Amino acid sequence: MVVVFASDVHLTPERPDISERFFSFLEKQAGQVDALYLLGDLFEAWVGDDDDDEFAELVKQKLRVLSDSGVAVYLMHGNRDFLIGKQFAAASGCQLIDDPARLELYGETVLLSHGDALCTDDFEYQEFRKEVRDPQWQKRFLAKSLAERRAFARQARDASAHYQQQQSAETGDVNQQAVETLMTGQQVSLLLHGHTHRPAVHDFKLQNGVAAQRIVLGAWYEQGSMVRWDKNGIQLLQLN
Ligand code: MN
């Protein structure tokens, strides 16, 4: 059993080089394994499954080819693409999974998360998250025209880019207490997430003294980032 993980690909027609790298990843690295987990922010923005954008259609097809070839593809929402719904999942052959989700492999359990819910020092973002993750808000939003939704997404993206520039290094990262509370509650000692764009392997101890590890996937800007888990263990890798 071999499983690969990626997150924060931030696919957009504006960055064809990243799309090409991701499509090649789907063929080469993900094409050879049993399962692929996409842990959020696959897209730079997602305004609804009814989006008739050509680029979205292309990504759907690429994922479909992979899932049709027998690779199980799992998709978790990120803060950019939390509106991906059942229609996209069915068309692309992906299975939507909750955040957090548990995965057991080789006698170990890893907890999977996008990671944005753990950035609890960023109060403003957590307020925004609460609002847009509300089913009522989503229902109202999806009832708007595609043009209105696209305009909102553009605005949210610009605001977020501006806001991130003003953030200190600390508030943009996960909160260690939130990490430990989640891991202790879920009784796991291994957490894998993305979102922060700070690829790393962090070793620490939980309050009960148990040795724990937090693996952070990188974003796909200058290069790709993935985690591979096979019989030899779990590895964070860069794709050049
Ligand atoms: Mn994110």
Side-chain angles (χ1 to χ4, degrees), residues 131-149:
E131 190 187 348
V132 300
R133 294 297 180 105
D134 172 24
Q136 288 306 315
W137 185 94
Q138 295 189 1
K139 210 175 149 187
R140 279 198 304 275
F141 183 75
L142 290 171
K144 292 177 198 282
S145 73
L146 268 174
E148 277 178 283
R149 281 181 269 157

Side-chain angles (χ1 to χ4, degrees), residues 23 26 43 54-68 88 91-93:
F23 296 155
L26 291 182
F43 291 98
E54 261 174 48
F55 179 73
E57 194 53 45
L58 176 64
V59 176
K60 213 182 280 176
Q61 282 168 16
K62 296 280 184 185
L63 289 170
R64 182 88 226 183
V65 169
L66 182 67
S67 57
D68 280 350
F88 176 84
S92 60

Side-chain angles (χ1 to χ4, degrees), residues 141-205:
F141 183 75
L142 290 171
K144 292 177 198 282
S145 73
L146 268 174
E148 277 178 283
R149 281 181 269 157
R150 285 182 185 136
F152 175 89
R154 251 194 316 275
Q155 215 175 34
R157 193 173 140 183
D158 293 347
S160 140
H162 177 72
Y163 183 65
Q164 265 163 22
Q165 282 168 1
Q166 300 174 328
Q167 290 282 297
S168 69
E170 288 73 34
T171 51
D173 205 352
V174 296
N175 174 287
Q176 182 63 20
Q177 192 53 55
V179 166
E180 293 186 21
T181 302
L182 176 68
M183 293 178 77
T184 308
Q186 294 271 345
Q187 296 185 296
V188 292
S189 54
L190 181 57
L191 172 67
L192 173 60
H193 70 85
H195 179 67
T196 59
H197 302 189
R198 297 165 202 220
V201 177
H202 299 276
D203 291 296
F204 57 100
K205 275 202 166 74

Side-chain angles (χ1 to χ4, degrees), residues 37 99 119 145 148 202 217 226:
Y37 283 78
D99 182 357
C119 297
S145 73
E148 277 178 283
H202 299 276
L217 284 156
M226 66 175 266

